[in-house]
Every structure is written in structure tokens, then in C-alpha cells.
Amino acid sequence: MTEILDRIGAARLVPVVVLDDAASAAPLAEALAAGGLPVAEVTFRTAAAVESIRAMSANPDMLVGAGTVLTPDQVDAAVDAGASYVVSPGLSVPVVRRCAERGVLALPGAVTATEVQAALAEGLTAVKFFPAATSGGAPAIKALSAPFGDLRFVPTGGIGPANLSEYLSIEAVLAVGGSWMVPRADIAAGDFAKVTSLTAEAVALATP
Ligand code: 3PG
């Protein structure tokens, strides 16, 4: 699980993907890798999530997480399909515990000190900070990280090229997630070249 966190931290960016058709998953994985970012959080917001995770994880270079996981059953579906980690918008103890049982990293959302403490009580060392922009943004993460030492945050929600560096400059920020490099409409239209160019731009911005 530390290894997965290390890989997320090395990538610095996590594309948050909503796929309407699992047939887009393999070309999307190639497009992301071509842009320099072989990572994706595939969200359980569409019926195509499980098949998309399966297709993307077949690519050995890809680090594939499941996003928007709300129930223990979805944890099972995600892990059975090959997901290496599980992201939730908020902190659900049953979801976190099922992840522990299945031996996968859980990355639940936490934006208050109480939520962070609940994550720590489950033995977690990193949380998602969502929705980042409306939860106080970078200053809130700085303030929240002060009492929690080694805890790392993955902010997502309202982040893009204009404010990316503000988040990445915070020591407690492991990586930043977002959908700006994987626009749902471009994927649906099969414009994977656009995804590659947006991804390459994002990678360039995230590289010190
Ligand atoms: C998420 O689930 O992490 C967010 O929906 C991504 O937020 P964004 O669309 O504002 O980047």
C-alpha cells in the first residue's frame, strides 16, 4: 500500500475519469501514457466503471484506482476488476475496512480535523481532500496539515492549470487529482489526441 502511495506521489497528478463507454478505456490509457501520466482514477459514476477498470488494468504500465466508491460491494467490484486503490468522496468506515480486508489502499475524503482523525484511527496515512476549492483550498490544507505531521493529502475538485502549483507547493500534498485533462466530452467523441495534449501540459506544469 505504501508502494501505491509512492507511485501516486511520483506521478503528482491523478486524472479523475468518468467513462460512458468501456470501449474508451484502453485508448484512454494509451493517451494518458503518451502524455506522460500512466495513472487514472476511474469513477463509479457510470455503469462502465467496472469494465473500464478491467480494461485499463490490463495495461501493466497503468496505475488504476477506483473513484467515487461509496459501498463495500463497490470495493469488491473494483478490486475484482483490478483496481490498485480505492477513492471515496468522503470517509466511510465500512468502505475503508473492506479495503483493508481486500489488501488495497483506501483514499477516503477528509476535509475537517474530525474526519482526518477518523482516517488516522483506521490506520490511514493519506486522504483525499474533496471538494478542494470549496473546502477552503490550499490554505485550508496548510492549516489542517499542521497538527497531523506525516499525513498526506490528495486534493481534488476545482483544481486546474491556473491553481495547480498552489496545491503542489504544499509539503503535505502528495498529488493533485482532477478531470481537466480528461474532458468527458472529448473522450466520448474519441478525441484522445486532445487528452494526450492536455495531459502533457499538466505534466509540464507539475514538473518542478
Ligand atoms: C473528483 O471526484 O475527484 C472530482 O470530481 C474531480 O473534480 P474536478 O472535476 O473539479 O477536477
Side-chain angles (χ1 to χ4, degrees):
M1 292 189 222
T2 319
E3 185 232 328
I4 299 296
L5 275 181
D6 287 348
R7 285 177 71 185
I8 295 171
R12 299 293 273 157
L13 295 172
V14 178
V16 178
V17 180
V18 180
L19 279 168
D20 293 298
D21 182 353
S24 307
L28 178 64
E30 280 170 34
L32 289 169
L37 196 56
V39 183
E41 175 187 324
V42 180
T43 58
F44 269 70
R45 291 180 207 178
T46 64
V50 170
E51 276 319 304
S52 301
I53 289 170
R54 201 183 309 282
M56 283 191 155
S57 354
N59 181 331
D61 297 330
M62 283 293 291
L63 176 62
V64 184
T68 323
V69 172
L70 306 179
T71 65
D73 283 350
Q74 288 178 330
V75 173
D76 286 334
V79 176
D80 290 345
S84 294
Y85 66 99
V86 166
V87 185
S88 303
L91 190 132
S92 153
V93 169
V95 165
V96 171
R97 292 193 180 161
R98 184 60 63 88
C99 288
E101 282 162 21
R102 296 296 308 259
V104 295
L105 173 77
L107 198 62
V111 294
T112 66
T114 301
E115 290 162 3
V116 165
Q117 284 187 235
L120 293 175
E122 294 300 315
L124 302 180
T125 59
V127 293
K128 172 168 169 146
F129 185 84
F130 173 82
T134 52
S135 302
I141 298 173
K142 267 189 214 159
L144 192 55
S145 66
F148 296 117
D150 293 336
L151 184 75
R152 290 292 172 264
F153 293 85
V154 181
T156 74
I159 304 178
N163 56 2
L164 176 62
S165 60
E166 205 186 320
Y167 287 93
L168 285 178
S169 65
I170 301 168
E171 205 187 322
V173 169
L174 179 71
V176 161
S179 61
W180 79 93
M181 63 292 250
V182 282
R184 188 171 179 170
D186 291 320
I187 295 170
D191 192 351
F192 295 106
K194 174 86 175 290
V195 170
T196 296
S197 81
L198 289 169
T199 302
E201 277 168 33
V203 169
L205 278 175
T207 308

